[in-house]
């Protein structure tokens, strides 16, 4: 029997300590706030599940959650197919490969607050290229006053910023496919759609699972970009859960309710991510459906 080397735990220990300091301890602090109330003077009183009940019975919470789910659904429906399409049309050999990879990576290097500032100016009707161009063509566009325009601007901004991530992940899955698969498809006379359906898409399955999970979590937790561009407006049309949470914690200084809100928010993200992961990896776990199985 081969002995187990436990020395690797000493290499992992610094990471575990760092995670405990940066994640676990703040999380326990939030849990503590979520079950207590305070009236100042650093005096706390036990509140139990009062804040959780208040959040779950709040129309404000459910409205923000609905906006979050709609936004994430639209983002996934656009960015995943678009990213796969871009990856399929990227070159596999030659000088075009590094050029395309660099161009795809450029939007991902822009900080989130800078992205929001860019699109805030870009969409202005007086000096912004997008806003002025649309108004010049006779389109009544104003993301500050029209909720539909505000949503369109945020969706377009997110697609510009994050489709590259999906494209790069899908491209990584495509370049890992051996040429023998394509040669066999050519011999069999397979159509481009058949090649995509039976060779390329299955080979991209794992990376697309990662892409969907990353894009869902990131779009569901979006804060900086809509806060910079619209501030949650017009009205509450783009006030997502994260924006409402910050307003409650910092603006209203309602720490107990904000803590309960954040924990429920966290559990929703975990739940949806687990559902996505379970559904998308279910075929891999079933005998006879694994890669290479007849």
């Amino acid at each position: 029997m081969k002995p187990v080397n436990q020395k690797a735990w000493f290499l992992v220990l610094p990471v575990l300590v760092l995670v405990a300091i940066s994640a676990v301890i703040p999380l326990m602090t939030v849990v503590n706030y979520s079950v207590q109330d305070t009236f100042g003077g650093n005096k706390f009183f036990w509140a139990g599940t009062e804040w959780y009940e208040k959040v779950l019975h709040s129309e404000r919470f459910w409205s923000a959650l609905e906006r979050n789910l709609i936004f994430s659904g639209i983002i996934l429906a656009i960015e995943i197919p678009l990213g796969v399409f871009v990856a399929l049309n990227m070159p596999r050999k030659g000088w075009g490969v590094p050029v395309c990879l660099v161009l795809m990576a450029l939007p991902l290097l822009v900080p989130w607050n800078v992205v929001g500032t860019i699109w805030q100016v870009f969409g202005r009707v007086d000096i912004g290229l997008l806003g002025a161009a649309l108004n010049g063509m006779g389109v009544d566009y104003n993301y500050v006053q029209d909720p539909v325009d505000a949503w369109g601007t945020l969706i377009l901004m997110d697609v510009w910023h994050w489709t590259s991530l999906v494209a790069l992940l899908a491209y990584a899955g495509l370049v890992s496919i051996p040429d023998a698969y394509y040669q066999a498809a050519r011999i069999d006379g397979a159509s481009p759609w058949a090649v995509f359906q039976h060779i390329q898409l299955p080979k991209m399955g794992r990376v697309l699972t990662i892409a969907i999970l990353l894009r869902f979590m990131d779009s569901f937790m979006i804060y900086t970009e809509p806060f910079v561009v619209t501030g949650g407006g017009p009205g509450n049309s783009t006030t997502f859960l994260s924006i409402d949470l910050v307003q409650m914690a910092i603006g209203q200084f309602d720490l107990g309710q904000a803590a309960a809100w954040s924990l429920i928010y966290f559990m929703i993200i975990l739940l949806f991510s687990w559902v996505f992961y379970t559904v998308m990896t279910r075929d891999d776990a079933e005998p006879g459906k694994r890669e290479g199985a007849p």
Side-chain angles (χ1 to χ4, degrees), residues 115-156:
V115 171
T117 303
I118 290 173
W119 281 84
Q120 182 190 44
V121 176
F122 189 55
R124 287 181 55 173
V125 296
D126 50 354
I127 62 173
L129 180 61
L130 176 63
L134 290 176
N135 283 348
M137 292 186 293
V139 179
D140 187 16
Y141 168 83
N142 192 329
Y143 72 85
V144 178
Q145 299 178 358
D146 191 335
V148 176
D149 293 341
W151 270 76
T153 303
L154 293 180
I155 291 171
L156 188 61

Side-chain angles (χ1 to χ4, degrees), residues 71-136:
F71 181 79
S72 296
I74 294 174
I75 290 302
L76 290 177
I78 295 176
E79 293 183 6
I80 300 301
L82 182 59
V84 172
F85 176 78
V86 172
L88 289 172
N89 289 277
M90 289 174 63
R92 312 291 170 80
K93 297 179 181 179
W95 61 269
V97 174
V99 173
C100 288
L101 292 178
V102 170
L103 292 176
M104 286 290 102
L106 283 178
L108 303 177
L109 301 177
V110 183
W112 297 339
N113 57 336
V114 177
V115 171
T117 303
I118 290 173
W119 281 84
Q120 182 190 44
V121 176
F122 189 55
R124 287 181 55 173
V125 296
D126 50 354
I127 62 173
L129 180 61
L130 176 63
L134 290 176
N135 283 348

Side-chain angles (χ1 to χ4, degrees), residues 264-291:
I264 295 173
Y265 190 9
F266 175 65
M267 295 305 299
I268 291 174
I269 295 172
L270 286 182
L271 175 63
F272 275 96
S273 299
W274 176 78
V275 170
F276 277 137
Y277 180 80
T278 302
V279 171
M280 297 186 67
T281 59
R282 182 175 52 191
D283 289 345
D284 290 340
E286 294 179 4
K289 292 190 176 182
R290 294 186 179 92
E291 184 179 333

Side-chain angles (χ1 to χ4, degrees), residues 11-249:
L11 301 176
V12 180
L13 186 60
V15 177
L16 296 178
V17 173
L18 182 61
V19 170
I21 295 174
S22 62
V24 177
I25 294 177
L27 178 62
M28 292 300 100
T29 303
V30 173
V31 173
N32 183 46
Y33 276 121
S34 70
V35 294
Q36 298 192 68
D37 194 4
T38 179
F39 298 100
N42 202 28
K43 295 181 179 180
F44 292 89
F45 308 91
W46 177 257
T49 60
E50 175 185 348
W51 296 123
Y52 293 95
E53 295 173 1
K54 188 173 182 179
V55 170
L56 292 176
H57 289 86
S58 170
E59 183 180 352
R60 175 181 177 182
F61 172 81
W62 292 108
S63 298
L65 176 61
E66 181 183 7
R67 288 189 287 269
N68 260 111
L69 292 174
I70 293 174
F71 181 79
S72 296
I74 294 174
I75 290 302
L76 290 177
I78 295 176
E79 293 183 6
I80 300 301
L82 182 59
V84 172
F85 176 78
V86 172
L88 289 172
N89 289 277
M90 289 174 63
R92 312 291 170 80
K93 297 179 181 179
W95 61 269
V97 174
V99 173
C100 288
L101 292 178
V102 170
L103 292 176
M104 286 290 102
L106 283 178
L108 303 177
L109 301 177
V110 183
W112 297 339
N113 57 336
V114 177
V115 171
T117 303
I118 290 173
W119 281 84
Q120 182 190 44
V121 176
F122 189 55
R124 287 181 55 173
V125 296
D126 50 354
I127 62 173
L129 180 61
L130 176 63
L134 290 176
N135 283 348
M137 292 186 293
V139 179
D140 187 16
Y141 168 83
N142 192 329
Y143 72 85
V144 178
Q145 299 178 358
D146 191 335
V148 176
D149 293 341
W151 270 76
T153 303
L154 293 180
I155 291 171
L156 188 61
M157 174 190 63
D158 199 90
V159 169
W160 171 83
H161 192 195
W162 290 110
T163 300
S164 298
L165 176 64
V166 181
L168 291 174
L169 290 172
Y171 183 78
L174 288 173
V175 297
S176 66
I177 301 176
D179 290 336
Y181 284 66
Y182 295 108
Q183 293 172 3
R186 283 194 295 268
I187 293 174
D188 293 338
S191 65
W193 171 250
V195 172
F196 172 75
Q197 185 178 9
H198 298 289
I199 296 178
Q200 295 173 325
L201 188 59
K203 291 295 183 180
M204 289 190 295
R206 296 183 185 276
V207 294
L208 287 182
T209 300
I210 297 173
I212 291 174
L213 288 175
L214 289 177
R215 288 308 305 128
F216 167 75
M217 289 187 292
D218 196 53
S219 63
F220 200 77
M221 296 186 297
I222 191 170
Y223 169 76
T224 305
E225 297 95 320
F227 179 77
V228 173
V229 176
T230 65
N236 292 323
S237 59
T238 58
T239 302
F240 301 117
L241 283 169
S242 57
I243 296 178
D244 242 342
L245 176 59
V246 173
Q247 291 176 350
M248 183 180 299

